[in-house]
Coordinates of all heavy atoms in Angstrom, one line a residue:
M897 N -16.2 37.3 18.3 CA -15.1 36.4 18.3 C -14.3 36.7 17.0 O -14.9 36.7 15.9 CB -15.6 35.0 18.4 CG -14.5 34.0 18.5 SD -15.2 32.4 18.9 CE -14.0 31.3 18.3
Q898 N -13.0 36.9 17.2 CA -12.2 37.2 16.0 C -11.3 36.0 15.6 O -10.8 35.3 16.5 CB -11.3 38.4 16.3 CG -10.6 38.9 15.2 CD -9.8 40.2 15.6 OE1 -9.6 40.5 16.7 NE2 -9.3 40.9 14.6
K899 N -11.3 35.7 14.3 CA -10.5 34.6 13.8 C -9.0 35.0 13.7 O -8.7 36.1 13.2 CB -11.0 34.1 12.5 CG -12.4 33.5 12.6 CD -12.8 33.0 11.2 CE -14.2 32.3 11.3 NZ -14.6 31.8 10.0
E900 N -8.2 34.1 14.0 CA -6.7 34.4 13.9 C -6.2 33.8 12.6 O -6.4 32.6 12.4 CB -6.0 33.8 15.1 CG -4.5 34.1 15.1 CD -3.8 33.5 16.3 OE1 -4.5 33.1 17.3 OE2 -2.6 33.4 16.2
L901 N -5.6 34.6 11.8 CA -5.0 34.1 10.6 C -3.6 33.7 10.7 O -2.8 34.3 11.5 CB -5.1 35.2 9.5 CG -6.5 35.7 9.1 CD1 -6.4 36.8 8.1 CD2 -7.3 34.6 8.6
L902 N -3.2 32.6 10.1 CA -1.8 32.1 10.2 C -1.0 32.9 9.2 O -1.4 33.2 8.1 CB -1.7 30.6 9.8 CG -2.4 29.7 10.8 CD1 -2.4 28.3 10.2 CD2 -1.8 29.7 12.1
P903 N 0.3 33.2 9.6 CA 1.2 33.9 8.7 C 1.6 33.0 7.6 O 1.7 31.8 7.8 CB 2.3 34.3 9.6 CG 2.2 33.4 10.8 CD 0.8 33.0 11.0
P904 N 1.8 33.6 6.4 CA 2.1 32.7 5.2 C 3.4 31.9 5.4 O 3.4 30.8 4.9 CB 2.3 33.8 4.1 CG 1.6 35.0 4.6 CD 1.6 35.0 6.1
N905 N 4.4 32.4 6.1 CA 5.6 31.7 6.2 C 5.4 30.4 7.1 O 6.0 29.4 6.9 CB 6.7 32.5 6.8 CG 6.4 33.1 8.2 OD1 5.2 33.1 8.6 ND2 7.4 33.6 8.9
L906 N 4.5 30.5 8.0 CA 4.1 29.3 8.9 C 3.4 28.2 8.0 O 3.7 27.0 8.1 CB 3.3 29.7 10.1 CG 2.9 28.6 11.0 CD1 4.2 28.0 11.7 CD2 2.0 29.1 12.1
I907 N 2.6 28.7 7.2 CA 1.8 27.7 6.3 C 2.8 27.1 5.3 O 2.8 25.8 5.1 CB 0.7 28.5 5.5 CG1 -0.3 29.0 6.5 CG2 0.1 27.6 4.4 CD1 -1.4 29.9 5.8
I908 N 3.7 27.8 4.8 CA 4.7 27.3 3.9 C 5.6 26.3 4.6 O 5.9 25.2 4.0 CB 5.6 28.4 3.2 CG1 4.7 29.2 2.3 CG2 6.8 27.9 2.5 CD1 5.3 30.5 1.7
E909 N 6.0 26.6 5.8 CA 6.9 25.7 6.6 C 6.1 24.4 6.8 O 6.7 23.3 6.7 CB 7.3 26.3 7.9 CG 8.3 27.4 7.8 CD 8.6 28.0 9.1 OE1 8.3 27.5 10.1 OE2 9.2 29.1 9.1
N910 N 4.9 24.4 7.2 CA 4.1 23.2 7.4 C 3.9 22.4 6.2 O 4.0 21.2 6.2 CB 2.7 23.6 8.0 CG 2.8 24.1 9.4 OD1 3.7 23.8 10.2 ND2 1.7 24.8 9.9
L911 N 3.7 23.0 5.1 CA 3.6 22.3 3.8 C 4.9 21.7 3.4 O 4.9 20.5 2.9 CB 3.1 23.3 2.7 CG 1.7 23.7 2.7 CD1 1.4 24.7 1.7 CD2 0.7 22.5 2.6
E912 N 6.0 22.4 3.6 CA 7.3 21.8 3.3 C 7.6 20.6 4.2 O 8.2 19.6 3.8 CB 8.4 22.8 3.4 CG 8.4 23.8 2.3 CD 9.3 25.0 2.4 OE1 9.9 25.2 3.6 OE2 9.6 25.7 1.5
D913 N 7.3 20.7 5.5 CA 7.4 19.6 6.4 C 6.6 18.4 6.0 O 7.1 17.2 6.0 CB 7.1 20.0 7.8 CG 8.1 20.9 8.5 OD1 9.2 21.0 8.0 OD2 7.7 21.5 9.5
S914 N 5.4 18.6 5.6 CA 4.5 17.5 5.1 C 5.1 16.9 3.9 O 5.0 15.7 3.7 CB 3.1 18.0 4.9 OG 2.5 18.5 6.0
L915 N 5.6 17.7 3.0 CA 6.2 17.2 1.7 C 7.4 16.3 2.0 O 7.5 15.2 1.5 CB 6.6 18.3 0.8 CG 7.2 17.9 -0.5 CD1 6.1 17.1 -1.4 CD2 7.6 19.2 -1.3
E916 N 8.2 16.7 2.9 CA 9.4 15.9 3.3 C 9.0 14.6 4.0 O 9.6 13.5 3.7 CB 10.3 16.7 4.3 CG 11.1 17.8 3.6 CD 11.9 17.3 2.4 OE1 12.6 16.3 2.5 OE2 11.8 18.0 1.4
K917 N 7.9 14.6 4.8 CA 7.4 13.4 5.4 C 6.9 12.4 4.4 O 7.2 11.2 4.4 CB 6.4 13.7 6.5 CG 6.9 14.4 7.7 CD 5.8 14.7 8.7 CE 6.3 15.5 9.9 NZ 5.2 15.9 10.8
L918 N 6.2 13.0 3.4 CA 5.6 12.1 2.3 C 6.7 11.5 1.5 O 6.7 10.3 1.2 CB 4.7 12.9 1.4 CG 3.3 13.3 2.0 CD1 2.6 14.2 1.0 CD2 2.5 12.1 2.4
K919 N 7.8 12.3 1.2 CA 8.9 11.8 0.4 C 9.6 10.7 1.2 O 10.0 9.7 0.6 CB 9.9 12.9 0.1 CG 9.4 13.8 -1.0 CD 10.4 14.9 -1.3 CE 9.9 15.8 -2.4 NZ 10.9 16.9 -2.7
H920 N 9.7 10.9 2.5 CA 10.4 9.9 3.4 C 9.6 8.6 3.4 O 10.1 7.5 3.3 CB 10.6 10.4 4.8 CG 11.2 9.4 5.7 ND1 12.5 9.0 5.7 CD2 10.6 8.7 6.7 CE1 12.7 8.2 6.6 NE2 11.6 7.9 7.3
I921 N 8.3 8.7 3.5 CA 7.4 7.5 3.5 C 7.5 6.8 2.2 O 7.6 5.5 2.2 CB 6.0 7.9 3.9 CG1 5.8 8.4 5.3 CG2 5.0 6.8 3.6 CD1 4.5 9.0 5.6
V922 N 7.5 7.5 1.1 CA 7.6 6.8 -0.2 C 8.9 6.1 -0.4 O 8.9 4.9 -0.8 CB 7.4 7.9 -1.4 CG1 7.7 7.3 -2.7 CG2 5.9 8.4 -1.4
A923 N 10.0 6.8 0.0 CA 11.3 6.1 -0.1 C 11.4 4.9 0.8 O 11.9 3.8 0.4 CB 12.4 7.1 0.3
Q924 N 10.8 5.0 2.0 CA 10.8 3.8 2.9 C 10.0 2.7 2.4 O 10.4 1.5 2.4 CB 10.3 4.3 4.3 CG 10.4 3.3 5.4 CD 9.8 3.8 6.7 OE1 9.1 4.8 6.7 NE2 10.2 3.2 7.8
K925 N 8.8 2.9 1.8 CA 8.0 1.9 1.3 C 8.6 1.2 0.1 O 8.5 0.0 -0.1 CB 6.6 2.4 0.9 CG 5.7 2.8 2.1 CD 5.3 1.5 2.8 CE 4.4 1.8 4.0 NZ 4.1 0.6 4.8
K926 N 9.2 2.1 -0.8 CA 9.9 1.5 -2.0 C 11.1 0.6 -1.6 O 11.2 -0.5 -2.1 CB 10.4 2.6 -2.9 CG 9.3 3.2 -3.7 CD 9.9 4.2 -4.7 CE 8.8 4.7 -5.6 NZ 9.4 5.7 -6.6
K927 N 11.8 1.0 -0.6 CA 12.9 0.2 -0.1 C 12.4 -1.1 0.5 O 13.0 -2.2 0.2 CB 13.7 1.0 1.0 CG 14.9 0.2 1.5 CD 15.7 1.1 2.5 CE 16.9 0.3 3.0 NZ 17.6 1.1 4.0
Q928 N 11.4 -1.0 1.3 CA 10.8 -2.2 1.9 C 10.2 -3.1 0.8 O 10.4 -4.3 0.9 CB 9.6 -1.8 2.8 CG 8.9 -2.9 3.5 CD 7.8 -2.4 4.4 OE1 7.4 -1.3 4.3 NE2 7.3 -3.2 5.3
Q929 N 9.6 -2.6 -0.2 CA 9.0 -3.4 -1.3 C 10.2 -4.1 -2.1 O 10.0 -5.2 -2.4 CB 8.3 -2.4 -2.3 CG 7.5 -3.2 -3.3 CD 6.8 -2.2 -4.2 OE1 7.0 -1.0 -4.2 NE2 5.9 -2.7 -5.0
N930 N 11.3 -3.4 -2.3 CA 12.4 -4.1 -3.0 C 13.0 -5.2 -2.2 O 13.4 -6.2 -2.7 CB 13.5 -3.0 -3.3 CG 13.0 -2.1 -4.4 OD1 12.1 -2.4 -5.2 ND2 13.7 -0.9 -4.5
N931 N 13.0 -5.1 -0.8 CA 13.5 -6.1 0.0 C 12.6 -7.4 0.1 O 13.1 -8.5 0.2 CB 13.7 -5.6 1.4 CG 14.9 -4.6 1.5 OD1 15.7 -4.5 0.6 ND2 14.9 -3.8 2.6
E932 N 11.3 -7.2 -0.1 CA 10.4 -8.3 0.0 C 10.5 -9.2 -1.2 O 10.4 -10.4 -1.0 CB 9.0 -7.8 0.2 CG 8.7 -7.2 1.6 CD 7.3 -6.6 1.7 OE1 6.5 -6.7 0.7 OE2 7.0 -6.1 2.8
M933 N 10.6 -8.7 -2.4 CA 10.7 -9.4 -3.6 C 9.6 -10.4 -3.8 O 9.8 -11.5 -4.5 CB 12.0 -10.2 -3.6 CG 13.2 -9.3 -3.7 SD 13.2 -8.4 -5.3 CE 14.8 -7.8 -5.3
L934 N 8.4 -10.2 -3.3 CA 7.3 -11.1 -3.6 C 6.7 -10.7 -5.0 O 6.5 -9.5 -5.3 CB 6.1 -10.9 -2.6 CG 6.3 -11.5 -1.3 CD1 5.2 -11.1 -0.3 CD2 6.4 -13.0 -1.4
Q935 N 6.6 -11.6 -5.9 CA 6.0 -11.4 -7.2 C 4.5 -11.7 -7.2 O 4.1 -12.5 -6.3 CB 6.7 -12.2 -8.2 CG 8.2 -12.0 -8.3 CD 8.5 -10.6 -8.8 OE1 7.9 -10.0 -9.6 NE2 9.5 -10.0 -8.1
G936 N 3.8 -11.1 -8.1 CA 2.4 -11.4 -8.2 C 1.5 -10.6 -7.2 O 2.0 -9.7 -6.5
H937 N 0.3 -11.0 -7.1 CA -0.6 -10.3 -6.2 C -1.7 -11.2 -5.6 O -1.8 -12.4 -6.0 CB -1.3 -9.1 -6.9 CG -2.3 -9.5 -8.0 ND1 -1.8 -9.9 -9.3 CD2 -3.6 -9.7 -8.0 CE1 -2.9 -10.2 -10.0 NE2 -3.9 -10.2 -9.3
L938 N -2.4 -10.7 -4.7 CA -3.5 -11.5 -4.0 C -4.8 -11.3 -4.6 O -5.2 -10.1 -5.0 CB -3.5 -11.1 -2.5 CG -4.5 -11.8 -1.6 CD1 -4.2 -13.2 -1.5 CD2 -4.6 -11.1 -0.3
R939 N -5.5 -12.3 -4.9 CA -6.9 -12.3 -5.3 C -7.8 -12.9 -4.3 O -7.5 -14.0 -3.8 CB -7.1 -13.0 -6.7 CG -8.5 -12.9 -7.2 CD -8.6 -13.5 -8.6 NE -8.7 -15.0 -8.5 CZ -9.8 -15.7 -8.3 NH1 -10.9 -15.1 -8.1 NH2 -9.7 -17.0 -8.3
I940 N -8.9 -12.3 -3.9 CA -9.8 -12.8 -2.9 C -11.1 -13.1 -3.5 O -11.7 -12.2 -4.2 CB -9.9 -11.8 -1.7 CG1 -8.6 -11.5 -1.1 CG2 -10.9 -12.4 -0.7 CD1 -8.6 -10.4 -0.1
A941 N -11.6 -14.3 -3.4 CA -12.9 -14.7 -3.9 C -13.8 -15.0 -2.7 O -13.4 -15.6 -1.7 CB -12.8 -15.9 -4.8
Q942 N -15.1 -14.5 -2.8 CA -16.0 -14.8 -1.7 C -16.9 -16.0 -2.1 O -17.7 -15.8 -3.0 CB -16.9 -13.5 -1.5 CG -17.6 -13.5 -0.2 CD -16.8 -13.2 1.0 OE1 -15.7 -12.7 0.9 NE2 -17.2 -13.5 2.2
I943 N -16.7 -17.1 -1.5 CA -17.5 -18.3 -1.8 C -18.3 -18.6 -0.5 O -17.7 -19.0 0.5 CB -16.5 -19.5 -2.1 CG1 -15.6 -19.1 -3.2 CG2 -17.4 -20.7 -2.5 CD1 -16.2 -18.8 -4.6
S944 N -19.6 -18.5 -0.7 CA -20.6 -18.8 0.4 C -20.1 -18.2 1.7 O -19.9 -18.9 2.7 CB -20.8 -20.3 0.6 OG -19.6 -21.0 1.0
K945 N -19.9 -16.9 1.7 CA -19.6 -16.1 2.9 C -18.2 -16.4 3.5 O -17.9 -15.9 4.6 CB -20.7 -16.2 4.0 CG -22.0 -15.7 3.5 CD -23.0 -15.8 4.7 CE -24.4 -15.4 4.2 NZ -25.4 -15.5 5.3
T946 N -17.4 -17.2 2.8 CA -16.1 -17.5 3.2 C -15.1 -17.0 2.2 O -15.2 -17.4 1.0 CB -15.9 -19.0 3.4 OG1 -16.9 -19.5 4.3 CG2 -14.6 -19.4 4.0
P947 N -14.1 -16.2 2.6 CA -13.1 -15.7 1.7 C -12.1 -16.9 1.3 O -11.7 -17.7 2.1 CB -12.4 -14.6 2.4 CG -12.6 -14.9 3.8 CD -13.9 -15.6 3.9
Q948 N -11.8 -16.9 0.0 CA -10.8 -17.8 -0.5 C -9.7 -17.0 -1.1 O -10.0 -16.0 -1.9 CB -11.3 -18.8 -1.5 CG -12.3 -19.8 -0.8 CD -12.7 -20.9 -1.8 OE1 -12.5 -20.8 -3.0 NE2 -13.4 -21.9 -1.2
Y949 N -8.4 -17.3 -0.8 CA -7.3 -16.5 -1.3 C -6.6 -17.2 -2.4 O -6.3 -18.4 -2.3 CB -6.4 -16.2 -0.1 CG -7.1 -15.6 1.1 CD1 -7.5 -16.4 2.2 CD2 -7.4 -14.3 1.1 CE1 -8.2 -15.8 3.2 CE2 -8.1 -13.7 2.2 CZ -8.5 -14.5 3.2 OH -9.1 -13.9 4.3
Y950 N -6.1 -16.4 -3.4 CA -5.4 -17.0 -4.5 C -4.2 -16.1 -4.8 O -4.2 -14.9 -4.7 CB -6.3 -17.0 -5.8 CG -7.5 -17.9 -5.6 CD1 -8.7 -17.5 -5.1 CD2 -7.4 -19.3 -6.0 CE1 -9.8 -18.3 -5.0 CE2 -8.4 -20.1 -5.8 CZ -9.6 -19.7 -5.3 OH -10.7 -20.5 -5.2
Y951 N -3.1 -16.8 -5.1 CA -1.8 -16.1 -5.4 C -1.6 -16.1 -6.9 O -1.4 -17.1 -7.5 CB -0.7 -16.9 -4.7 CG 0.7 -16.3 -4.9 CD1 1.0 -15.0 -4.9 CD2 1.8 -17.2 -5.1 CE1 2.2 -14.5 -5.0 CE2 3.1 -16.7 -5.2 CZ 3.3 -15.3 -5.2 OH 4.5 -14.8 -5.4
C952 N -1.7 -14.9 -7.5 CA -1.6 -14.7 -8.9 C -0.3 -14.2 -9.3 O 0.1 -13.1 -8.9 CB -2.7 -13.8 -9.4 SG -4.4 -14.3 -9.0
T953 N 0.5 -15.0 -10.1 CA 1.8 -14.6 -10.5 C 1.9 -14.3 -12.0 O 2.7 -13.5 -12.4 CB 2.9 -15.7 -10.1 OG1 2.5 -16.9 -10.7 CG2 3.0 -15.8 -8.6
D954 N 1.0 -15.0 -12.7 CA 1.0 -14.8 -14.2 C -0.1 -13.9 -14.6 O -1.3 -14.1 -14.2 CB 0.8 -16.2 -14.9 CG 0.9 -16.1 -16.4 OD1 1.3 -15.0 -16.9 OD2 0.6 -17.1 -17.0
P955 N 0.2 -12.8 -15.3 CA -0.9 -11.8 -15.7 C -2.0 -12.5 -16.5 O -3.1 -12.0 -16.6 CB -0.2 -10.8 -16.5 CG 1.3 -10.9 -16.2 CD 1.5 -12.3 -15.7
K956 N -1.6 -13.6 -17.2 CA -2.6 -14.2 -18.1 C -3.5 -15.2 -17.3 O -4.6 -15.5 -17.7 CB -1.9 -15.0 -19.2 CG -1.1 -14.1 -20.1 CD -0.4 -14.9 -21.2 CE 0.4 -14.0 -22.0 NZ 1.3 -14.7 -23.0
D957 N -3.1 -15.6 -16.1 CA -3.8 -16.5 -15.3 C -4.7 -15.7 -14.3 O -4.2 -15.1 -13.4 CB -2.9 -17.4 -14.5 CG -3.6 -18.4 -13.7 OD1 -4.8 -18.7 -13.9 OD2 -3.0 -19.0 -12.8
F958 N -6.0 -15.7 -14.5 CA -6.9 -14.9 -13.7 C -7.2 -15.6 -12.4 O -7.7 -15.0 -11.4 CB -8.1 -14.5 -14.4 CG -7.9 -13.6 -15.6 CD1 -8.0 -14.0 -16.9 CD2 -7.4 -12.3 -15.4 CE1 -7.7 -13.2 -17.9 CE2 -7.2 -11.4 -16.4 CZ -7.3 -11.9 -17.7
N959 N -7.1 -16.9 -12.4 CA -7.5 -17.7 -11.2 C -6.4 -17.7 -10.1 O -6.7 -17.5 -9.0 CB -7.8 -19.2 -11.6 CG -9.1 -19.2 -12.5 OD1 -10.0 -18.4 -12.3 ND2 -9.1 -20.1 -13.4
G960 N -5.2 -18.0 -10.5 CA -4.1 -18.1 -9.5 C -4.1 -19.4 -8.8 O -4.9 -20.3 -9.0
K961 N -3.1 -19.5 -7.9 CA -3.0 -20.7 -7.1 C -3.6 -20.5 -5.7 O -3.4 -19.5 -5.0 CB -1.5 -21.0 -6.9 CG -1.2 -22.2 -6.1 CD 0.3 -22.4 -5.9 CE 0.6 -23.6 -5.0 NZ 2.0 -23.6 -4.6
Y962 N -4.4 -21.5 -5.3 CA -5.2 -21.4 -4.0 C -4.2 -21.3 -2.8 O -3.2 -22.1 -2.8 CB -6.1 -22.6 -3.9 CG -6.8 -22.6 -2.6 CD1 -7.9 -21.8 -2.3 CD2 -6.4 -23.5 -1.6 CE1 -8.5 -21.8 -1.1 CE2 -7.1 -23.5 -0.4 CZ -8.1 -22.7 -0.1 OH -8.8 -22.7 1.1
I963 N -4.5 -20.5 -1.9 CA -3.7 -20.4 -0.7 C -4.6 -20.8 0.5 O -5.6 -20.2 0.7 CB -3.2 -18.9 -0.4 CG1 -2.5 -18.4 -1.6 CG2 -2.3 -18.9 0.8 CD1 -2.2 -16.9 -1.5
P964 N -4.2 -21.9 1.2 CA -5.0 -22.3 2.3 C -5.0 -21.2 3.4 O -4.1 -20.4 3.6 CB -4.3 -23.5 2.9 CG -3.2 -23.9 1.9 CD -3.0 -22.7 1.0
S965 N -6.1 -21.2 4.2 CA -6.3 -20.2 5.2 C -5.2 -20.3 6.3 O -5.0 -19.4 7.1 CB -7.7 -20.3 5.9 OG -8.7 -20.0 4.9
S966 N -4.6 -21.5 6.4 CA -3.6 -21.7 7.4 C -2.3 -20.9 7.1 O -1.5 -20.7 8.0 CB -3.2 -23.2 7.5 OG -2.7 -23.7 6.2
Q967 N -2.2 -20.4 5.9 CA -1.0 -19.6 5.6 C -1.3 -18.1 5.7 O -1.1 -17.3 4.8 CB -0.5 -19.9 4.1 CG 0.0 -21.3 4.0 CD 0.5 -21.6 2.6 OE1 0.4 -20.8 1.7 NE2 1.1 -22.7 2.4
K968 N -1.9 -17.7 6.8 CA -2.3 -16.3 7.1 C -1.1 -15.3 6.9 O -1.3 -14.2 6.4 CB -2.9 -16.2 8.4 CG -4.3 -16.7 8.5 CD -5.3 -15.8 7.8 CE -6.7 -16.3 8.1 NZ -7.7 -15.6 7.3
K969 N 0.0 -15.7 7.4 CA 1.2 -14.8 7.3 C 1.5 -14.5 5.8 O 1.7 -13.3 5.5 CB 2.4 -15.5 8.0 CG 3.6 -14.6 8.0 CD 4.7 -15.2 8.8 CE 5.9 -14.3 8.9 NZ 7.1 -14.8 9.6
F970 N 1.5 -15.5 5.0 CA 1.7 -15.2 3.5 C 0.6 -14.4 2.9 O 0.9 -13.5 2.1 CB 1.9 -16.6 2.8 CG 2.2 -16.4 1.3 CD1 3.4 -15.8 0.9 CD2 1.3 -16.9 0.4 CE1 3.7 -15.7 -0.4 CE2 1.6 -16.7 -1.0 CZ 2.8 -16.2 -1.4
I971 N -0.6 -14.7 3.3 CA -1.7 -13.9 2.8 C -1.6 -12.4 3.2 O -1.8 -11.5 2.4 CB -3.1 -14.5 3.3 CG1 -3.3 -15.9 2.7 CG2 -4.2 -13.6 3.0 CD1 -4.4 -16.7 3.3
N972 N -1.2 -12.2 4.5 CA -1.1 -10.8 5.0 C 0.1 -10.1 4.3 O 0.0 -8.9 4.0 CB -0.8 -10.9 6.5 CG -2.0 -11.2 7.3 OD1 -3.1 -11.2 6.8 ND2 -1.8 -11.7 8.5
Q973 N 1.2 -10.8 4.0 CA 2.3 -10.2 3.3 C 1.9 -9.8 1.9 O 2.2 -8.7 1.4 CB 3.4 -11.2 3.2 CG 4.2 -11.4 4.5 CD 5.2 -12.5 4.3 OE1 5.2 -13.3 3.5 NE2 6.2 -12.5 5.3
L974 N 1.1 -10.6 1.2 CA 0.6 -10.3 -0.2 C -0.3 -9.1 -0.1 O -0.2 -8.2 -0.9 CB -0.1 -11.5 -0.8 CG 0.9 -12.5 -1.4 CD1 0.0 -13.7 -1.9 CD2 1.7 -12.0 -2.5
A975 N -1.2 -9.1 0.8 CA -2.2 -8.0 1.0 C -1.4 -6.7 1.3 O -1.8 -5.6 0.7 CB -3.2 -8.3 2.1
Q976 N -0.4 -6.8 2.2 CA 0.3 -5.6 2.5 C 1.1 -5.0 1.3 O 1.2 -3.8 1.1 CB 1.3 -5.9 3.7 CG 2.0 -4.7 4.2 CD 1.1 -3.7 4.8 OE1 0.3 -4.0 5.6 NE2 1.2 -2.4 4.4
K977 N 1.6 -6.0 0.5 CA 2.4 -5.6 -0.7 C 1.5 -4.8 -1.7 O 1.8 -3.8 -2.2 CB 3.0 -6.8 -1.4 CG 3.8 -6.4 -2.6 CD 4.2 -7.7 -3.3 CE 3.9 -7.5 -4.7 NZ 3.2 -8.1 -5.6
D978 N 0.3 -5.4 -1.9 CA -0.7 -4.7 -2.8 C -1.1 -3.4 -2.3 O -1.2 -2.4 -3.0 CB -1.9 -5.6 -3.0 CG -1.6 -6.9 -3.8 OD1 -0.5 -7.0 -4.4 OD2 -2.5 -7.8 -3.8
Y979 N -1.3 -3.3 -1.0 CA -1.7 -2.0 -0.3 C -0.6 -1.0 -0.5 O -0.8 0.2 -0.8 CB -2.0 -2.2 1.1 CG -2.3 -1.0 1.9 CD1 -3.6 -0.3 1.8 CD2 -1.4 -0.4 2.7 CE1 -3.8 0.8 2.5 CE2 -1.6 0.8 3.4 CZ -2.8 1.4 3.3 OH -3.1 2.5 3.9
D980 N 0.7 -1.4 -0.2 CA 1.8 -0.5 -0.3 C 2.0 0.0 -1.7 O 2.3 1.2 -1.9 CB 3.1 -1.2 0.1 CG 3.2 -1.5 1.6 OD1 2.4 -0.9 2.3 OD2 4.0 -2.3 2.0
I981 N 1.7 -0.8 -2.7 CA 1.8 -0.3 -4.1 C 0.8 0.8 -4.4 O 1.1 1.8 -5.0 CB 1.6 -1.5 -5.1 CG1 2.9 -2.4 -5.0 CG2 1.4 -1.0 -6.5 CD1 2.7 -3.7 -5.8
K982 N -0.4 0.6 -3.9 CA -1.4 1.6 -4.1 C -1.1 2.9 -3.3 O -1.3 4.0 -3.8 CB -2.8 1.0 -3.7 CG -3.3 0.0 -4.6 CD -4.6 -0.6 -4.1 CE -5.0 -1.8 -5.0 NZ -6.3 -2.4 -4.5
V983 N -0.6 2.7 -2.1 CA -0.2 3.9 -1.3 C 0.9 4.7 -2.0 O 0.9 5.9 -2.0 CB 0.1 3.5 0.1 CG1 0.8 4.6 0.9 CG2 -1.1 3.0 0.9
I984 N 1.9 4.0 -2.5 CA 3.0 4.6 -3.1 C 2.5 5.4 -4.3 O 2.9 6.6 -4.5 CB 4.1 3.6 -3.6 CG1 4.8 3.1 -2.3 CG2 5.1 4.2 -4.5 CD1 5.7 1.9 -2.6
K985 N 1.6 4.9 -5.1 CA 1.1 5.6 -6.3 C 0.4 6.9 -5.9 O 0.5 7.9 -6.5 CB 0.2 4.7 -7.1 CG 0.9 3.7 -7.9 CD -0.1 2.8 -8.7 CE 0.6 1.7 -9.5 NZ -0.3 0.8 -10.2
L986 N -0.4 6.7 -4.8 CA -1.2 7.9 -4.4 C -0.3 9.0 -3.8 O -0.5 10.2 -4.0 CB -2.2 7.5 -3.3 CG -3.4 6.7 -3.8 CD1 -4.3 6.2 -2.7 CD2 -4.3 7.5 -4.7
L987 N 0.7 8.5 -3.0 CA 1.7 9.5 -2.4 C 2.5 10.2 -3.5 O 2.8 11.4 -3.4 CB 2.6 8.8 -1.4 CG 1.9 8.4 -0.1 CD1 2.9 7.7 0.8 CD2 1.3 9.6 0.6
E988 N 2.9 9.4 -4.5 CA 3.7 10.1 -5.6 C 2.8 11.1 -6.3 O 3.3 12.1 -6.8 CB 4.3 9.0 -6.5 CG 5.4 8.3 -5.9 CD 5.9 7.1 -6.8 OE1 5.2 6.6 -7.7 OE2 7.1 6.7 -6.6
K989 N 1.6 10.8 -6.5 CA 0.7 11.7 -7.1 C 0.5 13.0 -6.3 O 0.5 14.1 -6.8 CB -0.7 11.1 -7.3 CG -1.6 11.8 -8.2 CD -3.0 11.1 -8.2 CE -3.3 10.6 -9.6 NZ -4.7 10.1 -9.6
E990 N 0.5 12.8 -5.0 CA 0.3 13.9 -4.0 C 1.6 14.8 -4.0 O 1.4 16.0 -3.9 CB 0.1 13.4 -2.6 CG -0.2 14.4 -1.6 CD -1.6 15.0 -1.6 OE1 -2.5 14.3 -2.2 OE2 -1.8 16.1 -1.1
I991 N 2.7 14.2 -4.2 CA 4.0 14.9 -4.1 C 4.1 15.7 -5.4 O 4.4 16.8 -5.5 CB 5.2 14.0 -4.0 CG1 5.2 13.4 -2.6 CG2 6.5 14.7 -4.2 CD1 6.2 12.3 -2.4

């Protein structure tokens, strides 16, 4: 069985396409992040096998404001924002 090698120009084209896709994703996430305008981040504490959510807006305040579980939409938005920030940093490093 003989292995088939890819021509260099095909590899370069694939890499350039991937780079453009990554740049597009980063730009899209940054635009989305600017539109959301949520300040602060989410802190999750595990109390007796039950997660408790806290909204931290002040860097000096490590506890934050308690978020009731009934506000799942807000909790999801904060979690998504934190995730997007991490993804943007990783993608920018990759680019």
